[in-house]
Amino acid sequence: MKFNSPLKMHRRDWLRRFQKLGVFTLGVWFSPALVFAKKVDADEAIQKMTGNAKIQEGRVTLTIPPLVENGNLVVLKVSVDSPMTNDNYVKAIHVIAEGNPSPNIFTAYLTPRSGTANITTRVRLADSQVVWAIAQMSNGSYWKGSAETLVTLSACTEMI
């Protein structure tokens, strides 16, 4: 294709150029740097969740492997030190991550009949990041614990 002035270009040439511009724009729009949540997003999610209440350190233990080869299925354990009685129990456990597309990973709701405030599940982590677990107690207080994990890529990948 030889270059012609914009006024003498064929309709198909215009469409090809417009298509290339669209693909470039989509590539910038869906850039991983723009898609993943950041620490600021995680902090905003925590503030919305707690209503700007004071969050105390302790009572919450979050356990995730420090090094993960594949972030698709990461074992996550949360336990909260609580007697789980009718007067003193964990109402909810919120898990927040700063490196996932959405900072809210999940929320588990508990009652005194739950017996213990222990949760084990598998989550998907998009990248190396800090993960927080926030426990909402029946008396309105909030407690938090955190853990950091490093997500690596498998060594057996095919180069394209």
Side-chain angles (χ1 to χ4, degrees), residues 30 33 36 45 58 77 91 99 101 103 109 119 130 140 148 153 155 160:
F30 290 116
F36 294 142
K77 297 177 185 179
K91 287 177 72 174
Y109 296 97
I119 297 172
V130 177
E148 189 171 350
L153 294 176
I160 297 176

Side-chain angles (χ1 to χ4, degrees), residues 31-159:
S31 169
L34 299 174
V35 174
F36 294 142
K38 297 171 183 56
K39 180 150 180 21
V40 176
D41 299 328
D43 290 341
E44 285 178 13
I46 291 170
Q47 285 180 344
K48 271 187 191 176
M49 195 179 319
T50 62
N52 293 327
K54 182 181 182 215
I55 304 172
Q56 303 171 56
E57 289 280 342
R59 293 183 71 173
V60 178
T61 304
L62 175 64
T63 308
I64 55 177
L67 180 64
V68 179
E69 185 175 323
N70 184 349
N72 288 332
L73 291 173
V74 179
V75 176
L76 180 136
K77 297 177 185 179
V78 181
S79 61
V80 182
D81 182 25
S82 172
M84 296 300 283
T85 63
N86 286 334
D87 298 333
N88 185 3
Y89 64 95
V90 178
K91 287 177 72 174
I93 298 173
H94 309 278
V95 178
I96 308 292
E98 68 183 25
N100 277 9
S102 173
N104 298 335
I105 294 180
F106 72 89
T107 299
Y109 296 97
L110 306 169
T111 68
R113 295 185 72 182
S114 299
T116 62
N118 298 316
I119 297 172
T120 302
T121 188
R122 293 177 189 262
V123 296
R124 188 174 197 173
L125 297 177
D127 200 6
S128 301
Q129 58 190 300
V130 177
V131 180
W132 292 276
I134 299 173
Q136 179 183 1
M137 307 302 285
S138 59
N139 64 4
S141 65
Y142 291 90
W143 295 82
K144 72 176 176 179
S146 64
E148 189 171 350
T149 186
L150 177 67
V151 178
T152 63
L153 294 176
S154 177
C156 297
T157 59
E158 183 179 332
M159 297 298 288

